[in-house]
Amino acid sequence: MSRRLKLYTTAARYDLVEHSRNRFAMLLIALYIPLWISLAYVAIPDRAAPLHLRSTGQHLAPAGNELTQITGAINAVTLITGFMMFAATFTGHRFDRRLAMAGYPRVHLIAAKATSLTLTSAFIAAYAAAVTCLSWTPKQPLQLAAALFCAAMTYGAIGVILGSVLRREVEGMFALIMISVIDVLLPNPLWSSGADSSLIRFLPSYGTSQAATAAGFSTTPTPGHLAIELMWFTGAALLALLTFHRRTRNVHHKEQRAALSWRWRPTSTMAAPRK
């Protein structure tokens, strides 16, 4: 095994182990996702909910409980993935700084975090899509899973950003919850009268909401709206990369300045020679 591959494998393994140790997140995946999706199907009436689906241009009337299940799946996936990446970044940023100070390549650290985010998002999205399919059969289950995956990736990157810039855990959790509530619930026509507003297009999960709804109730693929969600992920990922780069770069500069200051201090404090 080459040195670069070994460094990457070691960092990726550490990130995945760190996620697996988050027992609360594991409990949320095992219980919260099926509970939320099942309650949405049972508690919400199954009467038709007319809507205009912009991604396909169709006028649909899906059952209200099935539509709410899709919204609940998006909400659960985004919250849990965002929470996991925020927790890993918030608790591990000091360790990352020490690794960078010790000379560990930042490229390998970034690649490892991207790998853990991708695997985590894929697992949670597939699990949520499978739970949804237990109640009814979406017309495009693979596109539903892909839409949930894209949303999970976006919120995972947002979690990394919040974990890098916020100082307290409660701030990050509150920010994630508020962002997800506004982002996911506004497009739902059952809960928001402004679901057809043009402003909805600027929400982070707009592409996922359109693609997932089309996957549930239409046979028309909507790759364009999956691409919109991937654009949101790309922007969030670049911002997360900049915060990581800035934090580790500042560490290097501070260490260099401290080393230079220590090196020249004995000279500046040397006593003058006697005559």
Side-chain angles (χ1 to χ4, degrees), residues 36-46 65-66 68-69 135-136:
W36 186 184
I37 294 176
S38 301
L39 285 178
Y41 187 81
V42 174
I44 303 299
D46 60 355
N65 56 351
E66 297 175 354
T68 305
Q69 268 198 315
S135 302
W136 56 286

Side-chain angles (χ1 to χ4, degrees), residues 79-142:
L79 273 178
I80 294 176
T81 309
F83 163 69
M84 292 182 66
M85 296 306 298
F86 168 79
T89 303
F90 187 85
T91 58
H93 73 280
R94 293 182 180 178
F95 183 69
D96 291 336
R97 292 175 66 180
R98 289 196 296 267
L99 287 177
M101 290 168 57
Y104 207 101
R106 288 179 291 177
V107 175
H108 296 79
L109 294 175
I110 294 170
K113 293 184 183 300
T115 300
S116 65
L117 171 58
T118 302
L119 295 178
T120 301
S121 300
F123 174 76
I124 296 176
Y127 180 62
V131 172
T132 303
C133 293
L134 294 178
S135 302
W136 56 286
T137 303
K139 295 185 180 298
Q140 301 180 74
L142 292 180

